[in-house]
Amino acid sequence: MVIGVEHLVHAFEATAALGLLPVRPRLLALGEPTHGEEALLHLRNELFRHLVEEEGYRTVAVESDCLRGLLVDDYVTTGTGTLDRAMEHGFSHGWGACAANRDLVRWMRAHNDGRPAPERVRFAGIDGPLEITGAASPGWALAALHGYLAAHVGADLLPCTGEELASLPGPDERWTEPAAMTDPARSVGRSPEAVRLQVLADDLVALLDEQTPHLLAVTSREDWERARLYGRTATGLLRYHHWMADTSPARMTRLVGLRDRMMARNLLALAARGPALVHAHNSHLQRDGSSMRMGGRPLEWWSAGALVSARLGEQYAFLATALGTIRHRGVDAPPPDTLEGLLYALPEDCCLVGTPRLTAALDPARLQPRSSPWFGYAPLDPSRLAGGDGIVFLKDVLPG
């Protein structure tokens, strides 16, 4: 099955990746089929450096808390804080402990040193303040949005005082209760306070939009963009908590869909700022729908990549990553009748293949889905190859 596809293989580098695409995208998304493997993060770092130095890209965006990411962005752009602080507090999901993430942040700070603001590289998180066990309180984001507006618009336009807004959420523990993920009755998402906060959040975001000409005249665009981030994060969290309290069969579908919607809104905001490299799980970045089984129930929703692609068209591009072996996780050489097996038979240790030409050269229906003995690794689905522009294949992943 290798015969006929060897001529489609390229070395994995920025020039080759962009050469697969009809236009230079504003968002170039690089997916990964598993999290926490240093080899995949080093590939991302190398691609980002090339995009910055050769193609004028200025932002890297990762699957991490969008609010925490502001600490990393402040550090790499202005040197605020320390590298240790940025790594400890600027990432969610434990990603700050990854050596390759530390290398990325260190390189970005060094690259920016002495450069004017328009030439500096930027960092962004695209995920909401969410973890597997729950979601954060919306209180901090709402307070930051209210504080920005209170400093620049008349008090009579504000829907509430800062004191009222601060009193409604209560302790963070009410919102972050882990049991609420499996027991809707433990969620605060439909309490009277949460309902009131939803109204206030919508009013604050509406006021921010209505006052945009004035706010851009009296504050920096950077401050205005951060206020918008606070607003969409607060409203996204409140909507997420609302559905955590739901008891209908649609509950989990809505939750996973809302997470990708929050990612998509952050990605669209980044696209408006300029070209960016995005790095997250394949399932979040693919251009078609996502699916999984949870508690024996199938869930289907639109991925962030599908939502963004619907808005940006060719300005959004997606490269999926596929792997041969992760032996330290129990993932051995793939069967030859799978997509990974086909690529594993090629001589290259790391390569790039254009998806449209690959699917034209072979019949994806002849390929079998690959199973994985490790839950943390999701092989590519050969029936969904049309959801991407290219495949980055790494033959063997070694321990970090």
Side-chain angles (χ1 to χ4, degrees), residues 38 41-42 45 87 95-106:
E38 297 283 353
L41 301 179
H42 284 301
N45 292 356
M87 302 312 299
W95 303 154
C98 295
N101 283 335
R102 190 179 187 90
D103 290 345
L104 172 68
V105 174
R106 183 189 294 112

Side-chain angles (χ1 to χ4, degrees), residues 38-80:
E38 297 283 353
L40 302 182
L41 301 179
H42 284 301
L43 282 179
R44 175 207 61 194
N45 292 356
E46 181 181 354
L47 177 60
F48 182 58
R49 284 193 293 268
H50 288 178
L51 288 171
V52 169
E53 294 167 355
E54 300 173 15
E55 303 293 341
Y57 279 63
R58 288 290 178 265
T59 299
V60 63
V62 305
E63 188 182 335
S64 183
D65 184 332
C66 57
L67 297 185
R68 289 193 184 198
L70 297 175
L71 290 174
V72 182
D73 190 51
D74 284 343
Y75 173 72
V76 300
T77 55
T78 67
T80 301

